[in-house]
Amino acid sequence: MKVFVTGGAGYIGSHTLVALLAAGHEVCVYDNFDNSSPVALARVRQLTNRDMAVVEADVRDNDALTRALTDFAPDAVVHFAGLKAVGESNDIPLRYYQTNVTGTMNLLAAMDAARCKRIVFSSSATVYGEAQYLPFDEEHPIAPTNPYGRTKAMAESVIGDWASATPDASAVLLRYFNPVGAHESGRIGEDPQDIPNNLMPFVAQVAVGRRAKLSIFGDDYDTRDGTGERDYIHVVDLAAAHLAALEYSARAVGCEAINVGTGQGITVKELVAAYEAACGQPIAVEIAPRRPGDVASSYAATTKAERLLNWCAALDVDDMCANSWLWQSENPMGFEGD
Ligand code: NAD
Ligand code: UFG
């Protein structure tokens, strides 16, 4: 199968490329390297011993996108390209809407021009907003609480309307919970450009000596140990979910939103303890005030993914921490070292 992958050089994209190439698919990556490095693609080539086409361009550039899609003529598209920092989305909302919403609209129009009718989209559990009940199932009301989440909810709606209006179209909206970890080789992984916003990359940078200590944002939540509880999903499992979604899209029409998580909540303190075991050293922490906008608990109902995609997570928190640590310890400055 020919697969067009926007944002393929990024964290989740690069791991999905490994799975796609290993399964024998032909791939074209479309990425402007806004938050990624071409080194990640070189490493993917080394890992798989396979090549891929690469177009360096922006999803906001309608002409370039249409040209790339019509030239490659894919069977399906996986759409990772986007901006993802919740805090930043409050400061530069228009850039988020242009990239995440207009970029998605451009992509669908370019798919029409290339007669491509299958898309797998990177959505997020953040579209649910505050939990009205747990676990979050796909019927939970959509009520995002920040601009980033609203761009994802809007892009979902646009894709759903496109799928309704396009005969035989198939769209899968994958709502990721908290992707973490790295490829087991330690050759690719998450490489935040700035101070990490997310828990595991921050912990990894403390472990490797790039940061002094982790601030735990609140220990007075209504959880087992008072710290926030999340559904961490290994990025290699997440990559496999994309292959399962592509297979599903070949046999289904319409648009489906599907959670991608393990269904298990893990607290901040539990994750830190697992990381300490993986790296064999203590992680310095301090208790800090709650981070505005954080919820106590978030975890997925996973039955829809099992039913429709025949997919469930295989890797656990120890795998997530061990693989993250291998990546971080062998690449302390991320891809910058190359
Ligand atoms: P990432 O930043 O590592 O990857 C995104 C990729 O898109 C990067 O390679 C970046 O260079 C590219 N990109 C950004 N703007 C672009 C543009 N205008 N034109 C072309 N390419 C552009 O992020 P990731 O963690 O791999 O996330 C991938 C997708 O998954 C994103 O859409 C993100 O919103 C979504 N998502 C991520 C998480 C998470 O925690 N990592 C959770 C839920 C959803
Ligand atoms: N946390 C800390 N210290 C830190 C960073 C995080 O204690 O330095 C805590 C948070 O308070 C939270 C937990 O660790 O309890 C997880 O926080 P993350 O920032 O790693 O993840 P979030 O659940 O807040 O958000 C992530 C992504 C969003 C996405 C959401 C749902 O950042 O983009 O998961 O999938 F929408």
Side-chain angles (χ1 to χ4, degrees):
M1 179 172 41
K2 291 174 79 175
V3 189
F4 188 84
V5 184
T6 74
Y11 170 48
I12 303 167
S14 56
H15 289 82
T16 304
L17 291 183
V18 171
L20 284 167
L21 292 169
H25 298 299
E26 190 182 339
V27 172
C28 176
V29 172
Y30 186 97
D31 200 305
N32 68 351
F33 300 110
D34 179 74
N35 193 40
S36 56
S37 163
V39 176
L41 298 180
R43 300 249 182 121
V44 168
R45 288 189 184 96
Q46 287 166 4
L47 276 173
T48 59
N49 207 18
R50 295 278 316 275
D51 204 359
M52 71 199 92
V54 180
V55 177
E56 181 173 351
D58 197 307
V59 290
R60 292 168 296 177
D61 183 341
N62 215 350
D63 293 343
L65 196 48
T66 306
R67 209 164 35 245
L69 260 155
T70 45
D71 285 353
F72 186 64
D75 300 297
V77 170
V78 185
H79 182 30
F80 293 107
L83 303 177
K84 64 168 182 175
V86 173
E88 185 185 62
S89 76
N90 287 305
D91 302 330
I92 48 169
L94 294 186
R95 202 159 158 240
Y96 273 68
Y97 285 100
Q98 280 157 355
T99 305
N100 294 2
V101 184
T102 309
T104 300
M105 290 163 60
N106 290 344
L107 179 63
L108 295 170
M111 287 171 63
D112 284 345
R115 295 194 171 75
C116 177
K117 296 188 176 208
R118 291 162 59 193
I119 183 167
V120 176
F121 174 62
S122 296
S123 191
S124 168
T126 199
V127 298
Y128 296 125
E130 288 279 333
Q132 295 185 11
Y133 56 85
L134 283 172
F136 282 113
D137 60 29
E138 291 82 354
E139 305 308 313
H140 188 284
I142 301 298
T145 56
N146 55 69
Y148 166 68
R150 284 189 278 277
T151 67
K152 288 292 175 187
M154 282 186 192
E156 284 197 356
S157 297
V158 171
I159 293 168
D161 289 342
W162 169 85
S164 300
T166 307
D168 302 326
S170 181
V172 184
L173 314 171
L174 293 181
R175 293 181 180 153
Y176 312 157
F177 278 68
N178 290 58
V180 296
H183 190 262
E184 63 179 4
S185 64
R187 296 291 291 158
I188 54 172
E190 189 169 11
D191 182 19
Q193 310 283 301
D194 220 327
I195 300 171
N197 296 306
N198 297 117
L199 179 63
M200 190 173 292
F202 202 105
V203 171
Q205 291 194 4
V206 174
V208 85
R210 276 175 71 176
R211 316 233 165 245
K213 61 184 166 202
L214 170 75
S215 296
I216 295 181
F217 298 143
D219 67 348
D220 56 352
Y221 286 106
D222 183 18
T223 60
R224 284 185 292 288
D225 58 22
T227 64
E229 184 185 29
R230 295 291 183 276
D231 186 341
Y232 296 96
I233 171 84
H234 196 299
V235 66
V236 170
D237 275 336
L238 181 52
H242 288 81
L243 266 72
L246 283 168
E247 282 167 23
Y248 170 79
S249 74
R251 56 179 194 269
V253 292
C255 181
E256 292 288 351
I258 304 178
N259 287 340
V260 188
T262 64
Q264 302 285 322
I266 291 172
T267 69
V268 176
K269 284 186 175 168
E270 288 166 350
L271 189 126
V272 169
Y275 213 98
E276 289 178 328
C279 71
Q281 64 192 68
I283 305 288
V285 301
E286 65 175 3
I287 303 301
R290 290 182 178 194
R291 184 170 64 178
D294 273 358
V295 297
S297 293
S298 167
Y299 48 92
T302 57
T303 47
K304 191 171 178 185
E306 285 163 27
R307 184 164 48 84
L308 295 188
L309 305 184
N310 197 22
W311 170 93
C312 66
L315 299 166
D316 65 15
V317 68
D318 295 329
D319 301 310
M320 300 175 204
C321 294
N323 296 153
S324 162
W325 176 238
L326 183 64
W327 153 252
Q328 188 69 70
S329 55
E330 295 199 345
N331 305 270
M333 301 308 288
F335 292 114
E336 217 176 80
D338 273 36

